[in-house]
Amino acid sequence: MPPTLRPLFVLGGLFVLTSLAADGVVAQDDAAGIERANAALAAAVASGDADAAVALYTEDGMLMAPNAPAATGHDAIRAAFQEMIEAGVGSLALTSDELEVFGDTAHEVGRYVLEAADGSHLDHGKYVVIWKRTDDGWKLHRDIFNSDMAAPGGH
Amino acid sequence: MPPTLRPLFVLGGLFVLTSLAADGVVAQDDAAGIERANAALAAAVASGDADAAVALYTEDGMLMAPNAPAATGHDAIRAAFQEMIEAGVGSLALTSDELEVFGDTAHEVGRYVLEAADGSHLDHGKYVVIWKRTDDGWKLHRDIFNSDMAAPGGH
């Protein structure tokens, strides 16, 4: 089967054939929805809008950033984005390498680049996001990342 | 429905009703299999056995450790574990907080503690693992983690 074909699923005895595109390739709509959410996240960071960023996470979402405890829920996630914006992050670029969709849950593996407002390089690394489909579209539910760059201090 | 009830799934037109336990709770066997693999990973680290650790990953597995590019495939993952063992890690403790199983794929969210051989604390943090069911049981496929501790140098 083509690599983009995803398992359909049945929940509680009911067939749920969501995201079966007309051409028979499953999850095309889901991929587009998640791509839109990633683009909105990048736009929120670029405009320094922590509220817009946090709105892309589930209510009980977790942002698991390096060198800090997990930020759980919108208030904690907003604070983390505000800190990132105040630290001078001007842009976040996301490259999605893998996406698998299982009904209302998906996981994504990708890479990120953070730049300052003047375009200078701040950080780059990798991430995994567990997505949940909500009434308001796909939302980041578990978001973990870390840097590819050597740690300050040589550790 | 009870929180442990997982979506069943149908793949390629074939019903696959794996991991439906006798009591009707789905994924109990899967949870046990993943728990065993985590225990084996902890045992491999405790005995300094990088080969045993890497055998728990899929052939094309990725270990996404902080401050290094992703280690992809068994050779790269083995090297990462050897480095960890040579750096003096004596024990790895894993606490699994969330597990969702979707057919042959699962994702887990948890916390880890690393200690030196003398029991002194080295690091603690959080992780997300994407698991794949193989002919040889559940294997880590995508493994990403980061520290809760402040970075050296205060970053």
Side-chain angles (χ1 to χ4, degrees), chain B:
Chain B
M1 65 185 189
T4 49
L5 195 60
R6 303 297 174 205
L8 310 180
F9 72 110
V10 51
L11 178 62
L14 175 73
F15 285 98
V16 184
L17 298 178
T18 52
S19 66
L20 179 63
D23 61 359
V25 177
V26 180
Q28 204 166 68
D29 290 351
D30 294 323
I34 287 169
E35 191 180 333
R36 274 195 303 274
N38 274 333
L41 184 62
V45 171
S47 60
D49 188 342
D51 285 330
V54 79
L56 298 163
Y57 287 76
T58 58
E59 290 292 333
D60 57 342
M62 285 173 68
L63 174 60
M64 292 176 274
N67 306 119
T72 303
H74 276 196
D75 288 350
I77 294 171
R78 183 181 299 106
F81 274 101
Q82 278 167 340
E83 191 177 325
M84 182 193 296
I85 290 161
E86 283 161 19
V89 169
S91 82
L92 167 67
L94 300 171
T95 302
S96 184
D97 291 322
E98 299 178 349
L99 178 66
E100 290 191 283
V101 181
F102 304 93
D104 290 340
T105 302
H107 66 246
E108 181 198 7
V109 181
R111 289 161 291 143
Y112 71 89
V113 179
L114 285 174
E115 290 181 346
D118 65 2
S120 60
H121 181 273
L122 292 175
D123 188 22
H124 65 280
K126 47 220 172 290
Y127 67 85
V128 173
V129 173
I130 311 295
W131 294 84
K132 290 287 181 182
R133 188 203 310 271
T134 74
D135 292 343
D136 191 30
W138 285 97
K139 303 276 185 184
L140 297 95
H141 187 56
R142 301 290 178 256
D143 179 6
I144 186 167
F145 64 96
N146 64 42
S147 179
D148 285 1
M149 298 171 71
H155 289 261

Side-chain angles (χ1 to χ4, degrees), chain A residues 27-44:
Chain A
Q28 203 166 69
D29 290 352
D30 294 322
I34 287 168
E35 191 180 333
R36 273 196 303 274
N38 274 333
L41 185 62

Side-chain angles (χ1 to χ4, degrees), chain A residues 60-147:
Chain A
D60 56 343
M62 285 174 68
L63 174 59
M64 292 177 274
N67 306 119
T72 303
H74 277 197
D75 287 351
I77 294 172
R78 184 181 298 103
F81 274 101
Q82 278 167 339
E83 190 177 324
M84 183 193 296
I85 290 160
E86 284 161 18
V89 169
S91 82
L92 167 67
L94 300 171
T95 302
S96 184
D97 291 322
E98 297 177 350
L99 178 66
E100 291 191 281
V101 181
F102 304 93
D104 289 341
T105 302
H107 67 248
E108 181 198 8
V109 181
R111 288 161 292 144
Y112 71 89
V113 178
L114 285 175
E115 290 181 347
D118 65 2
S120 60
H121 180 273
L122 293 175
D123 187 22
H124 66 280
K126 47 221 172 289
Y127 67 85
V128 173
V129 173
I130 311 295
W131 294 84
K132 291 286 183 184
R133 187 202 311 270
T134 74
D135 292 342
D136 191 28
W138 285 97
K139 302 276 186 186
L140 296 97
H141 187 56
R142 302 290 178 254
D143 179 6
I144 185 167
F145 64 96
N146 64 42
S147 178

